[in-house]
Amino acid sequence: WNGATCQSIGPTGSTYQTSSGMRSCSPKSVTRSGQACGTIQRYDASGAGNGHDAWVWDGTSAVIVGLADATHTSSSGSRFADVFRQNDLGFVVGCSDRLGTAAGEDCWLWNGTATVQIGLVGGPFLGGTTQRSWPLVLTASGQVIGCSLRYATGSSAGQSAWCWNGVATVPIGLTGLGYTGLSGYQECWALRVNGNGQVAGCSQLISGVNTVAGQDAWLWSAGTTQRLGFVDGIHATALGYRWNEVNGINEAGQVLGRANCYAAAGADN
């Protein structure tokens, strides 16, 4: 409904409709300017389901968005793309399944002109042929916050938080010595984001190969990660175990959190 009449939107053509006329098109959201996005069922020549595509309606026509290369298209032509969110700039973020010899899913951003793959890829983020990234937040300015799974010798090794800044995907959070195990194990979560793109989260403290020794809170702002929370005597055991967590962030960048206290024997206090 455009304020005057109801109109059908979404992609058209034989890929999205069976010979009997069956279609399945689902809207996701609409912006203040009237841009809509959603997903639509794909069909093969026999009329069987063949995945689904993501689309954006600009008020005049529908554009297919998402990753459609060989890694994200099966030998039978199926694709699976899902829309996560859009903002008032017309940016859309979503995920596409990795198919064929690949596995997992990759994150992408439609910037109004093209689909760009985002998220952390390759190296410790690729386990054999499996790679998995997903978005958490799309800000009003087009910044995307997300997470990517980590792998070591083909096995799961935690996850890393990241930010797409409009140019590149950069890791965020506490990730250095004390937060990454000897095998590369790491657990870093982006938990809260404000309208200025500041991100608050938590990183597990790791000793040895993958022994968890608590967690620290952090704030990522203007490209820098700062550790937050209490690390003094009553907030850590004799062995150094401590627990800080994030509960909220406001537009001024102030972060609300909680730290555990410990008795002399190391028990919660």
Side-chain angles (χ1 to χ4, degrees), residues 41 54 56 59 155 255 265:
Q41 178 75 41
V56 172
S155 299
V255 180

Side-chain angles (χ1 to χ4, degrees), residues 4-26:
T5 60
C6 283
Q7 61 182 131
S8 177
I9 64 174
T12 59
S14 59
T15 300
Y16 307 107
Q17 182 171 307
T18 67
S19 58
S20 64
M22 183 172 70
R23 282 169 51 85
S24 180
C25 186
S26 303

Side-chain angles (χ1 to χ4, degrees), residues 157-174:
Q159 66 180 40
S160 294
W162 51 263
C163 172
W164 167 260
N165 59 17
V167 178
T169 299
V170 295
I172 62 177
L174 298 168

